[in-house]
Amino acid sequence: MLDTPEAVVEALRENNERPHGLQRTITAEELAEAAEPFEEPDVLVTALLELMAAYEFTGEHRKSPVVFARLLKLWEDSPEAFSQWEAHQVFWRFKWVTTSLLQVPDVPLATVQGWIGRMSAFYEAAGHEVQPVAAMRYHLAAHTGSGADDAFDLWATRPRSELSDCEACETRYLAWHRVSAGDDAGALDSWRPVLEGAQACTEEPQMSQARALLPLLRTGRADEARSHHLTGYRRVRGNTGMLDEVGLHLEFCALSRNEGRGLEILAENRPLFATTGAPLALLGFLTGVEVLLARIVGDGHGAAAVAGPPGRNWTAGELLAHVRGEAERLAAAFDERNGTTAVGDRRRARLARLPLCEDPLPLGLRSPVVRSAAPEPSPAAGAGAAVPEVPEDFAGLVREARRLGATGHPGAARLWTRVEDRLAAGEAPGDGLGPGELLSAELAEHRALVLSREDRGGRSVSELRQAAELFGRAGAPWRMLSARARALAWESVPDEDEEGAGSAEGAGTGPSGPGAFRAALDEVLHEAERLKEREPLTGGPAAGADGTAGGPGQERVLEYLTVLFSRAFAAYQEVTAAPEGAQAAAMERFEECVGALRSEAEGLGVPHQVANARQFAADLAFRRGDAAEAEAELRAALVDVESSGRPWRGSRPRVLLAQALLARSEPGEASELLHRAIGDAVRYDDTEFPLAPAYALLGHAATHLGDAAGAVRHLSEAAARFDRDGALAEATDIRLQLADVLARDGQQADAVAVLESVLAGGADGVLDERMLAQARLTLARGLRELGEHLAAAEEFLLLADAVAGWEEDGPILTMVAADAATALAEAERWEAAEAAYERAVDAHAQAPNPAAVTAMMGEFARLVMAARGPEGLDAALGHLARADEVRTAVPEGAEDFAPWYVAGMIHYRRARVLAECERFAEALAEAEASVAAHEGGGENGEEPRAEAVRIAALIEGNGLGRYGQAVTRLTEAARRCRQAGLEEAARILGALRQDFLNRDGS
């Protein structure tokens, strides 16, 4: 019942502990109403201040000024009803009212100006500095676009006062003024204290993080932009008081080409469409939505389903039209109110921005990929590209595709796709391109190559067989043999379910088993040898250093060597899949086939095929553990590639060599090789090159080099590319590695964002139960470190349920239950915490984990005292007594349990509990017992021992007034710390010692 002032005050206190949101606001309204009837207005003052705060932090700017008007009336009538803090709040919240009035276009500009004048008079009458008034005048000028620079100077040049906005917020205003003036670099320099964490408040850094995203991208600081998006968005999502900021994150997603991420954010914030209390912030949100949707619709996805205002289903095109209409109406209302076009101009400027990234900025998160419906440009296009310009006429396009194909240039694949598309669109081949069967064969060959990425032994084999038949009809016998050999080689890849057997799916009457493949490939080689007698090979490379194709004789060389390569490929498949008893024969076949390829390629002057032979040999050397031979072969292969005039063939051996170097902890050269491999793959338009695994390796190399920023960048890129390839398991694994890198680098909020993405993205079907449990454990601990204790507790409880059935790993359940109990207690959910506590104790009885249970009990002792003060003493001591019982019951020599540490922790915690209740003599005895216990840890015990000495000295000096004894204790402890190399601990103890010396002397 809220029928007494005391009951309302207690309810206000409870409500103040809730997070800002609808529940807190509704309760604040009810409490303000309940406080009305009381004779003394002091409770009503407190209730109205609480209500105004609830409106302010949930974006109810229409209502906030009304509440403040009631407060001012009370101030005029009963100033004695205001405490000192509440009186200060009256002056402070004048600023809130000004910014709230600016948010509502229905409020005339004269009213806003009049309110600022009233604020000025109020401050001057009370003798307060007027810098905050100048700040409000600047906000008004910046909003209307009239006299902003002069108003900025009048505000920024005045000294701060006790009623000035906090430093973090003022830093935001200063930085944003510079952004508005086009000075991104200067703005980011101003923002440094907030973005680096030196300045913070309830609104910061999240507001600045949202505003800094585009300046960071525009100045090339993409890594920082990624981080501030990950961490900043988590702080603003779903927050009705952060509409503007959510809109800025949506805009960032659109302009960093992360439209899929933007759609996720839109879905998470669907309720924000219904927010009406802050029209200016709503305009900012809607503009961000419009920027995102305009990109999606412009890319041809207007019919895609998207999340919009609740109550109906929306397509992107429909929502764009709706949002555009609402935003235009709001912008026009503000401009009419202000008598300027500033608000509309700012909106139009945002809508006119173009993407700031050529490719999607990797964020490390799992998000849907939104691809443009228009043909994608070649990634090799632009500066440094090595793909010639594509002719517009069809015959020229085919000739260029053939020229590039003859040199093995990877850019040929994209051209053949264009040829196929134009034929499908009805274009006639025309004359001058040879027999129709030849072009059909080349296209079948191209389709086989595309299909081979997914299914080497199925439809790709069928396409190659069709190509072979068509080449035969076209009078191209060498190409026919080459296609037949490749079909057999690809079909020799063992099925996943049956080693050593080729897949015949869709392959007609192909051979089956290693012996059959050997015989069939040898027959193709015999046919090639017979054909060679009729059409002798001319020797020499098939392409010069400039990439120009050779003549017919050189083409024969290439096709002949392709037959030999196919035999080597099949032999490689056989030897890697052969059972133990057949290894010798398979190895003999492999050496013969690879040797033939190498010797013929050397004799015919085709270095890139020599390099291929070396790569086969290197791979087998790796498999048998001969890393030195493998490395030598790969380095020689790279020399061959360099002399071949086909530099695009160096990417794969570079990746293999980088793997070898990483395995022996040489990340520097590995990183250089991977950068070159990726660069060449992009430059030469090699769409078959496995970019995702290469970026993953580059991320590992960066990790080993201590380059955390590089590791994050490359692992994020790898995850995004695995997503695009549909490789969900690989993408998930990379994200777990990414989260680990981020957490170890101290970027815990970034790591949490990545792990949330993993667990929200259907990881149950991708990760095995143990990997999933590890991911949830890492997330829970990350949330705990961020102080998000309730969210951490939820993850711990989910994890506890998941591991409850692990009979062989019972101690894990004990640990997780203990962590859940502590997190719930940190979140002050005491009833649930106590239930989890007992669950951990029961789990410990079945599957002992004394370290986890005693740590939980020690934390409960601390948290009970924090929550209840001296009244919690008995409960706290009870928890420590239970911890002692667990400790003494542990058998001597138990694994993963340090009895000296646990005993020291219990004594330490008991000392602090007793000291808080001013039982100093008992507390000192416990602190000294803690010091003695940590002696048992040897070197490992020095650091916790130093902390126990610090507490003992504080009790002895501050509690018992024995400064001299405390100084002696600290002197010896600091000496020990210096000997142990614990300089920071020695510094802390030395500072306390000096403080006691000063006080003892006075």
Side-chain angles (χ1 to χ4, degrees):
M1 293 290 291
L2 300 173
D3 53 1
T4 66
E6 292 77 16
V8 174
V9 168
E10 180 58 32
L12 284 166
R13 185 178 295 113
E14 290 178 5
N15 199 42
N16 190 54
E17 297 299 320
R18 293 190 176 100
H20 283 291
L22 184 60
Q23 181 184 359
R24 177 167 174 173
T25 301
I26 291 173
T27 303
E29 290 173 336
E30 293 171 349
L31 293 175
E33 185 177 343
E36 281 277 6
F38 301 138
E39 184 176 346
E40 296 298 326
D42 53 340
V43 177
L44 179 58
V45 168
T46 305
L48 290 174
L49 285 167
E50 165 62 22
L51 179 58
M52 188 177 181
Y55 286 152
E56 176 72 16
F57 290 106
T58 54
E60 291 287 353
H61 293 286
R62 291 182 184 274
K63 299 178 180 180
S64 183
V66 178
V67 179
F68 191 69
R70 294 177 66 189
L71 279 166
L72 278 186
K73 184 69 169 62
L74 287 170
W75 174 265
E76 292 168 357
D77 294 343
S78 307
E80 72 283 354
F82 290 73
S83 69
Q84 183 177 354
W85 179 84
E86 290 168 339
H88 178 81
Q89 286 299 303
V90 172
F91 289 92
W92 185 271
R93 296 189 186 189
F94 257 102
K95 299 177 293 182
W96 290 10
V97 175
T98 301
T99 53
S100 290
L101 294 174
L102 282 177
Q103 281 277 342
V104 183
D106 305 343
V107 177
L109 204 60
T111 301
V112 184
Q113 293 165 336
W115 187 262
I116 296 174
R118 187 176 179 187
M119 175 184 174
S120 178
F122 205 75
Y123 273 46
E124 288 177 1
H128 288 300
E129 296 292 334
V130 294
Q131 190 258 16
V133 178
M136 294 304 103
R137 291 197 172 108
Y138 165 67
H139 293 323
L140 174 59
H143 170 70
T144 63
S146 178
D149 289 337
D150 290 341
F152 177 82
D153 290 340
L154 287 172
W155 161 59
T157 56
R158 291 178 182 268
R160 286 174 48 78
S161 73
E162 63 173 341
L163 288 169
S164 296
D165 282 323
C166 77
E167 285 188 285
C169 288
E170 288 207 340
T171 294
R172 178 176 76 248
Y173 305 144
L174 289 165
W176 195 241
H177 183 78
R178 288 188 164 186
V179 171
S180 302
D183 182 10
D184 286 338
L188 292 170
D189 188 55
S190 296
W191 252 320
R192 185 177 292 114
V194 173
L195 298 181
E196 293 182 357
Q199 296 175 357
C201 68
T202 56
E203 297 179 333
E204 291 295 349
Q206 58 267 35
M207 293 183 78
S208 288
Q209 286 177 311
R211 284 160 175 74
L213 292 171
L214 296 188
L216 285 166
L217 278 187
R218 287 194 292 256
T219 54
R221 293 161 64 173
D223 291 344
E224 293 168 75
R226 175 195 303 111
S227 177
H228 288 307
H229 170 66
L230 295 183
T231 61
Y233 173 67
R234 290 189 71 253
R235 294 185 174 105
V236 304
R237 64 183 172 196
N239 188 338
T240 55
M242 293 281 173
L243 282 164
D244 242 335
E245 287 66 35
V246 175
L248 289 168
H249 281 281
L250 288 168
E251 182 179 8
F252 166 78
C253 290
L255 300 187
S256 65
R257 296 187 182 272
N258 280 284
E259 293 89 347
R261 166 70 169 164
L263 290 177
E264 286 186 337
I265 291 175
L266 197 59
E268 288 179 334
N269 293 277
R270 195 175 187 185
L272 297 188
F273 283 102
T275 303
T276 59
L280 185 61
L282 178 61
L283 174 60
F285 169 68
L286 293 177
T287 302
V289 175
E290 188 176 352
V291 171
L292 172 69
L293 293 174
R295 289 284 312 155
I296 291 169
V297 172
D299 281 344
H301 299 287
V306 297
R312 58 162 287 187
N313 296 325
W314 297 87
T315 66
E318 292 168 343
L319 183 57
L320 175 60
H322 170 77
V323 166
R324 181 169 288 158
E326 286 294 300
E328 286 177 351
R329 180 185 62 78
L330 280 172
F334 278 107
D335 284 345
E336 182 179 357
R337 189 270 302 269
N338 298 336
T340 67
T341 61
V343 173
D345 289 344
R346 283 193 287 270
R347 174 176 172 273
R348 286 184 285 273
R350 289 177 69 180
L351 295 174
R353 288 172 183 154
L354 297 175
L356 297 168
C357 304
E358 290 187 12
D359 298 306
L361 174 67
L363 300 176
L365 306 177
R366 185 188 174 204
S367 298
V369 178
V370 179
R371 291 187 172 90
S372 171
E376 294 184 15
S378 166
V387 179
E389 200 169 318
V390 179
E392 286 296 323
D393 68 289
F394 187 80
L397 176 63
V398 172
R399 291 191 186 97
E400 182 66 0
R402 285 173 175 171
R403 185 186 76 81
L404 292 179
T407 67
H409 196 298
R414 195 177 297 275
L415 300 191
W416 282 121
T417 297
R418 293 186 184 182
V419 169
E420 195 161 38
D421 289 344
R422 288 174 68 168
L423 285 173
E427 188 157 356
D431 299 326
L433 295 177
E437 292 89 350
L438 177 62
L439 182 57
S440 296
E442 290 167 324
L443 290 172
E445 199 173 39
H446 165 65
R447 288 193 297 273
L449 187 64
V450 173
L451 289 166
S452 71
R453 299 173 197 167
E454 304 170 1
D455 179 13
R456 224 180 243 284
R459 290 178 298 156
S460 57
V461 171
S462 295
E463 290 287 354
L464 272 177
R465 286 191 171 150
Q466 182 184 1
E469 183 180 343
L470 289 166
F471 279 131
R473 290 189 213 162
W478 280 108
R479 298 190 73 175
M480 176 190 70
L481 290 176
S482 168
R484 280 176 54 194
R486 276 178 287 150
L488 289 165
W490 289 6
E491 197 175 4
S492 73
V493 178
D495 279 343
E496 291 182 2
D497 298 329
E498 183 180 356
E499 289 190 352
S503 168
E505 178 192 349
T509 57
S512 179
F517 285 118
R518 283 197 298 267
L521 281 163
D522 286 347
E523 176 56 33
V524 174
L525 177 60
H526 293 151
E527 289 186 42
E529 296 291 351
R530 289 192 291 271
L531 184 58
K532 191 167 62 168
E533 293 176 3
R534 298 196 304 273
E535 299 181 8
L537 306 178
T538 60
D546 61 353
T548 56
Q554 293 170 339
E555 179 181 297
R556 295 169 197 156
V557 169
L558 277 182
E559 304 301 350
Y560 173 64
L561 290 175
T562 298
V563 172
L564 292 174
F565 174 85
S566 299
R567 290 176 75 246
F569 179 89
Y572 168 82
Q573 296 298 326
E574 182 181 346
V575 77
T576 56
E580 191 171 340
Q583 276 286 332
M587 191 65 191
E588 184 178 349
R589 167 77 174 181
F590 172 80
E591 289 176 349
E592 184 271 321
C593 290
V594 170
L597 171 63
R598 181 169 175 173
S599 61
E600 288 289 339
E602 287 174 339
L604 292 167
V606 184
H608 75 268
Q609 285 288 17
V610 180
N612 286 336
R614 292 188 188 278
Q615 287 179 69
F616 282 129
D619 188 271
L620 278 199
F622 272 130
R623 288 173 180 268
R624 64 173 180 264
D626 192 344
E629 181 185 345
E631 182 179 339
E633 289 284 7
L634 288 170
R635 291 191 185 279
L638 286 171
V639 173
D640 291 326
V641 167
E642 289 298 325
S643 66
S644 72
R646 300 182 176 209
W648 50 84
R649 292 190 174 272
S651 293
R652 287 164 180 76
R654 284 191 178 91
V655 170
L656 293 173
L657 181 55
Q659 285 180 287
L661 293 169
L662 281 173
R664 69 177 203 206
S665 300
E666 293 186 25
E669 186 182 357
S671 179
E672 293 174 8
L673 287 164
L674 289 164
H675 276 295
R676 171 74 185 277
I678 291 170
D680 280 353
V682 172
R683 182 174 184 233
Y684 295 111
D685 198 14
D686 189 350
T687 55
E688 280 196 71
F689 179 76
L691 280 167
Y695 274 111
L697 284 172
L698 193 53
H700 297 156
T703 301
H704 290 302
L705 288 168
D707 178 11
V712 169
R713 188 183 315 122
H714 302 316
L715 291 174
S716 297
E717 181 73 41
R721 289 185 177 277
F722 277 126
D723 280 342
R724 287 176 228 167
D725 294 341
L728 181 56
E730 290 83 353
T732 302
D733 180 62
I734 291 296
R735 288 193 171 95
L736 294 180
Q737 296 175 43
L738 172 61
D740 182 61
V741 170
L742 289 165
R744 285 191 283 110
D745 191 49
Q747 300 180 66
Q748 196 61 253
D750 300 59
V752 163
V754 171
L755 288 167
E756 285 177 336
S757 169
V758 168
L759 292 173
D764 289 10
V766 178
L767 299 174
D768 64 44
E769 63 175 2
R770 292 186 178 274
M771 287 292 290
L772 185 60
Q774 181 60 53
R776 199 171 293 284
L777 176 62
T778 307
L779 173 58
R781 288 174 171 171
L783 290 165
R784 180 176 63 193
E785 188 171 323
L786 293 176
E788 299 180 30
H789 298 296
L790 186 57
E794 291 171 357
E795 294 297 335
F796 280 127
L797 290 170
L798 286 170
L799 182 56
D801 292 340
V803 304
W806 294 7
E807 295 182 4
E808 297 180 2
D809 294 303
I812 294 176
L813 173 60
T814 306
M815 175 196 72
V816 173
D819 281 338
T822 303
L824 286 164
E826 290 272 17
E828 298 187 0
R829 302 296 178 93
W830 285 103
E831 187 175 343
E834 287 161 6
Y837 182 106
E838 294 304 329
R839 182 183 187 183
V841 171
D842 291 344
H844 173 69
Q846 301 298 318
N849 192 331
V853 170
T854 53
M856 173 192 72
M857 292 169 172
E859 283 298 286
F860 263 69
R862 176 182 69 84
L863 293 167
V864 164
M865 291 299 294
R868 298 168 55 189
E871 292 180 7
L873 176 62
D874 289 343
L877 292 175
H879 289 302
L880 294 170
R882 293 184 78 174
D884 263 329
E885 290 173 7
V886 172
R887 175 182 64 83
T888 56
V890 178
E892 188 174 347
E895 288 187 22
D896 300 322
F897 185 76
W900 61 268
Y901 177 81
V902 175
M905 179 274 292
I906 295 170
H907 285 299
Y908 172 84
R909 186 54 58 197
R910 192 178 285 121
R912 297 201 64 159
V913 164
L914 291 166
E916 286 183 52
C917 296
E918 299 186 1
R919 291 166 58 171
F920 296 122
E922 296 167 82
L924 180 59
E926 288 294 330
E928 289 177 332
S930 178
V931 173
H934 286 122
E935 292 279 1
E939 291 183 2
N940 293 330
E942 283 297 330
E943 193 164 1
R945 179 189 183 280
E947 171 59 15
V949 170
R950 187 182 73 86
I951 291 299
L954 285 168
I955 294 168
E956 193 164 31
N958 292 340
L960 299 173
R962 300 188 329 221
Y963 293 117
Q965 291 93 322
V967 165
T968 301
R969 186 189 301 275
L970 290 165
T971 302
E972 172 59 18
R975 183 191 63 78
R976 283 186 60 147
C977 286
R978 283 191 289 273
Q979 285 183 339
L982 302 173
E983 294 299 330
E984 180 63 13
R987 186 192 65 77
I988 292 170
L989 295 174
L992 181 58
R993 174 183 176 276
Q994 187 60 49
D995 180 49
F996 282 172
L997 282 171
N998 294 340
R999 283 197 266 172
D1000 192 31
S1002 62

